[in-house]
Amino acid sequence: MKGRLFILSVLSVIVLTAATPSQRRRVSPVETAATQTLSVNETANDTSRINAKRRAAANMHYVNKNGFTVYVDSVTGEEWIDSTVITRVPKMEFPLWHSVSVGLNIWDPMMRAFGQHYGIAEVWGELSLHNRYRPRIEIGLGTAKNTPKDGNFTYRSPVSAYFRIGADYNFLFNSNPDYSFTAGLRYGLSSFSYSVDNISINTPYWGEYERVSIPSQHAVAGWLELVAGLRVKLWGPVSAGWSFHFRTALKYGDKKYGAPWYIPGYGTRGSSIGGSFSIVYTIPLNHLNKQAPADVDMETSAAEVDSPAPEQANEVQ
Amino acid sequence: LKKLHVILTLVAVLLPVAWACSNDGCLDNKSSLPKAAFYSSSTGKAVTLNSMVISGVGAAGDSALVGPSQSVSELYLPMRSTQSSTSWCFSYKSEGLDFEELNDTVTFDYETQPYFVSDECGAIFRYLITRCRNTTHLIDSVVVVDSLITNVDMVRIKIYFRTAEESENPEEPQE
């Protein structure tokens, strides 16, 4: 009996010894304003931040055209923009690869209906960068046959090709791309031949009359053009464009039998002004500007999310 | 922005309508006519001559370019396009000089070339003078200023005459 009492008393001493510190903390806790502030995480239950961390960790995001990072929920596909982030608004409202346009210049066929004696048609292609810079190339065909009413000759120039290369600057680059007002520079080059037939020359004093021809001559002409243009959307991807051309610095070399009257792509030698009217088809290049696919980890389930176009993302915002 | 679009559309539509074609016309001659001017050989100054007949050698009916009643200081001497040489006869009709022996002849040898000038001026013959000959009865000398005769209106030939101040005895021909 004595032995049992001894064991019980030893155990109770041990238990009491072990329990004493905890009882002491409970009785006299150290509570200050500083310890309370440090211990409370006020954002711990902020679901928006939790979601933000989760989405950022998923690495599914892209930058929209306004410079905001758009996160994509890998489960629901929902898009989310961290609008608290300070972003620099880009100078260019439109993306680098904005659009590509092809045009058919029908100015010459139209003017032929009004009595013009030269020109066929021209096609051109243009790349729009940020809807602001527009490098372009133009290729056309020209021919001429002219017997002036009061003239003493027939001028002929067989079908020849010409090329122009240059660029335009769109002054309305941050405006509605359906309208544009541009100025630009071109360099034109044409290789062609020409002849003058049925030349009749009278010398009344001597009572002489002669009919001669100038044989075919070949020429290579180069010139510069300053261009101002307007373009207006008609419907869908189709628009109409007008432009005014001031041509200068024409070079074609010295010609024994006289300089050409018509230079394909330039027009007549004596006139430094010209025009164009084009029907334009524009293809947007938005797909080249998507950054989201490059950032998506294809091994995650987020790869199944179909990211919308940047324009759609902007609407969400 | 809407206003801007309306303005742009209007300008774009009206641009072709307002388009104006320009035709400068032919500001030069429509044929190559060498212009000759008369000068005094003693003073070198331009002179106006009268009582003189100028006609082309071989022209139909010996038609005169300048008659005796006309005063002339410069004139065009058209070339023969079918020949490689053209001659002009200068006959003096003033008192004491009206002798055939005193007539002067000026001959130009040249090469003819067709040349297209422009839509407005058309095609012409251009002449490249290779040689100039003349008698020296009352004509002292003939100077070809520019041997290429084009349709540009400028003096190409200068004819120097022995004027009264210099000529002590004009009746005597100076061959």
Side-chain angles (χ1 to χ4, degrees):
Chain A
M1 186 68 184
K2 279 185 179 178
R4 288 180 182 173
L5 287 172
F6 176 76
I7 293 169
L8 283 173
S9 54
V10 169
L11 286 173
S12 27
V13 169
I14 292 170
V15 169
L16 288 173
T17 305
T20 301
S22 62
Q23 287 176 342
R24 187 182 302 150
R25 278 199 295 273
R26 250 185 259 121
V27 172
S28 57
V30 181
E31 294 282 349
T32 66
T35 55
Q36 283 181 345
T37 303
L38 286 173
S39 62
V40 175
N41 184 358
E42 293 176 340
T43 62
N45 296 322
D46 187 344
T47 53
S48 64
R49 291 177 183 259
I50 294 170
N51 290 339
K53 283 182 182 176
R54 193 179 298 160
R55 285 160 180 159
N59 199 26
M60 280 200 57
H61 64 275
Y62 62 90
V63 179
N64 72 3
K65 65 181 181 180
N66 291 324
F68 287 104
T69 300
V70 180
Y71 295 100
V72 182
D73 192 302
S74 59
V75 177
T76 64
E78 180 192 357
E79 293 195 337
W80 174 79
I81 295 173
D82 187 358
S83 58
T84 59
V85 176
I86 298 173
T87 58
R88 193 176 63 176
V89 177
K91 288 181 180 177
M92 312 287 187
E93 187 171 325
F94 295 95
L96 173 65
W97 305 105
H98 177 243
S99 64
V100 63
S101 299
V102 291
L104 176 65
N105 180 1
I106 55 172
W107 176 267
D108 280 341
M110 285 170 53
M111 296 306 287
R112 270 183 174 269
F114 293 100
Q116 182 175 288
H117 300 286
Y118 56 84
I120 299 180
E122 171 186 302
V123 293
W124 52 264
E126 176 190 88
L127 179 64
S128 174
L129 305 174
H130 293 300
N131 190 36
R132 189 174 195 176
Y133 308 107
R134 296 177 173 177
R136 58 190 282 152
I137 186 167
E138 303 169 347
I139 302 171
L141 295 173
T143 185
K145 183 184 178 186
N146 183 24
T147 306
K149 204 172 183 180
D150 300 324
N152 64 340
F153 65 93
T154 297
Y155 184 97
R156 296 177 205 273
S157 181
V159 177
S160 303
Y162 62 88
F163 307 90
R164 285 196 215 102
I165 189 167
D168 282 342
Y169 179 86
N170 181 17
F171 293 101
L172 307 178
F173 58 92
N174 271 349
S175 183
N176 185 346
D178 293 347
Y179 301 87
S180 62
F181 174 55
T182 58
L185 189 68
R186 310 265 191 284
Y187 177 74
L189 190 68
S190 177
S191 176
F192 61 99
S193 60
Y194 62 99
S195 61
V196 186
D197 305 324
N198 302 323
I199 299 171
S200 57
I201 297 177
N202 282 311
T203 313
Y205 177 79
W206 295 104
E208 294 174 343
Y209 171 83
E210 272 211 275
R211 198 174 187 87
V212 295
S213 293
I214 292 176
S216 178
Q217 299 180 86
H218 182 261
V220 177
W223 67 93
L224 286 173
E225 291 185 17
L226 296 172
V227 184
L230 294 170
R231 195 183 301 173
V232 178
K233 179 181 174 182
L234 296 179
W235 67 89
V238 180
S239 54
W242 292 261
S243 63
F244 172 86
H245 298 243
F246 177 74
R247 298 168 176 132
T248 184
L250 175 65
K251 302 287 181 189
Y252 44 77
D254 292 330
K255 295 298 164 191
K256 184 179 179 183
Y257 297 106
W261 168 67
Y262 168 71
I263 297 100
Y266 182 97
T268 55
R269 171 165 45 99
S271 62
S272 57
I273 59 172
S276 75
F277 173 66
S278 296
I279 300 297
V280 188
Y281 189 88
T282 301
I283 304 163
L285 296 177
N286 288 333
H287 60 284
L288 296 181
N289 298 291
K290 275 187 181 176
Q291 296 181 14
D295 293 343
V296 171
D297 183 1
M298 298 302 289
E299 293 179 3
T300 67
S301 59
E304 297 172 10
V305 175
D306 184 19
S307 299
E311 285 75 16
Q312 293 171 322
N314 194 37
E315 288 169 8
V316 171
Q317 180 198 8
Chain B
L1 195 62
K2 269 190 175 180
K3 278 185 179 177
L4 177 66
H5 293 165
V6 171
I7 292 169
L8 283 178
T9 307
L10 282 175
V11 171
V13 170
L14 294 175
L15 187 64
V17 179
W19 194 261
C21 296
S22 64
N23 189 347
D24 296 328
C26 183
L27 302 177
D28 294 313
N29 292 326
K30 289 198 169 185
S31 58
S32 295
L33 293 170
K35 183 188 270 188
F38 303 144
Y39 297 86
S40 165
S41 61
S42 58
T43 64
K45 292 181 179 176
V47 293
T48 299
L49 302 177
N50 51 27
S51 302
M52 183 172 66
V53 174
I54 302 173
S55 56
V57 177
D62 288 334
S63 56
L65 270 181
V66 175
S69 60
Q70 293 175 273
S71 296
V72 60
S73 60
E74 56 184 34
L75 81 163
Y76 293 106
L77 299 173
M79 302 289 195
R80 300 187 70 170
S81 59
T82 58
Q83 307 289 326
S84 60
S85 176
T86 299
S87 296
W88 296 94
C89 179
F90 292 75
S91 305
Y92 310 102
K93 301 299 180 186
S94 57
E95 191 177 348
L97 298 175
D98 190 8
F99 302 102
E100 279 196 15
E101 295 80 9
L102 292 180
N103 289 355
D104 276 313
T105 303
V106 178
T107 301
F108 300 100
D109 296 334
Y110 49 84
E111 294 171 359
T112 306
Q113 187 180 81
Y115 190 85
F116 176 71
V117 181
S118 65
D119 185 38
E120 293 82 15
C121 294
I124 61 171
F125 280 125
R126 298 210 304 187
Y127 305 97
L128 181 64
I129 296 176
T130 55
R131 189 180 176 197
C132 176
R133 294 166 286 161
N134 64 282
T135 58
T136 53
H137 298 145
L138 288 184
I139 291 177
D140 179 74
S141 59
V142 177
V143 175
V144 177
V145 178
D146 187 349
S147 61
L148 182 63
I149 309 300
T150 68
N151 65 326
V152 178
D153 190 16
M154 61 175 281
V155 173
R156 308 276 181 179
I157 298 162
K158 290 183 175 179
I159 302 176
Y160 290 87
F161 286 91
R162 302 173 200 281
T163 54
E165 293 81 11
E166 184 190 47
S167 175
E168 294 177 1
N169 188 6
E171 286 80 7
E172 292 183 5
Q174 302 177 16
E175 173 50 22

